Amino acid sequence: MKSAIILDLDGVICDTAHFHFLAWHRLAAEYGYELTHADNEQLKGVSRADSLTFILGLANKTLSPEQFQEDLHRKNEWYLELVKDMGPLEVLPGVPSFFAEVAARKIPLALGSASKNANMVLTRVGLIHAFNAIVDASQVTHGKPHPETFLKAADLLGIAPEKCLVFEDSAAGVQAAIAGGMNAIGIGTPEDLPGAIVHLRNLGEFDFSKYPL
Ligand code: BG6
Ligand code: MG
């Protein structure tokens, strides 16, 4: 039976994980909290609203529902400002060769992202047409670590979950893949991404000959 690849976006295809961090760092500073890279590991893969709830907990701060929505909006405006000049060159190392290999091998490819900005970012880096299916935050009820994002991607591809290989840079995403019955390749360290079957620095390090797809 055919296999497929499901890719996370932020921190796997492009360095937008860093831009999310910068925008959250700026908002947390307004709450009097210095957001650390260790904090940020726990925010990776987590939806915008859940991320703000997590940061408010760290900062020991509460907001009215109106202010909560306003701060989500402001964070996103800062993020959009940071990504506005992104282009096709702003992909992580190894991405062009990885996509060329996927196309040459005709491997079904889906995106499974927690971001509502996924379509915009993929369009900017010129990769939107490389995907057979795209699932972003606007299409799911439950964010990562719930498996809904990846199960929906597998369903859209018409491939059984256990035949899907998920590439993730977030602990929440690796957990989501495993909860969906899929194998996860960690883009990051074993310390940050327990449960992944192998850990790579970037997509370019993936050895297609080792994994039958
Ligand atoms: C995930 C990122 O892909 O998307 C998170 O890892 C981010 O850092 C989340 O918060 C939501 O993104 P957006 O673009 O909808 O605010
Ligand atoms: Mg990510």
Side-chain angles (χ1 to χ4, degrees), residues 21-31 33 35 74 78:
F21 172 69
L22 292 179
W24 286 128
H25 186 274
R26 179 172 171 184
L27 191 62
E30 287 190 5
Y31 305 146
Y33 184 79
L35 192 74
R74 288 192 304 133
W78 296 334

Side-chain angles (χ1 to χ4, degrees), residues 8 10 168-169:
D8 174 47
D10 298 314
E168 259 293 347
D169 72 318

Side-chain angles (χ1 to χ4, degrees), residues 145-148 150-151 154 160-162 164 174-183:
H146 192 285
E148 185 182 357
F150 295 138
L151 289 175
E162 61 272 20
C164 294
V174 169
Q175 286 168 33
I178 294 169
M182 305 173 184
N183 280 320

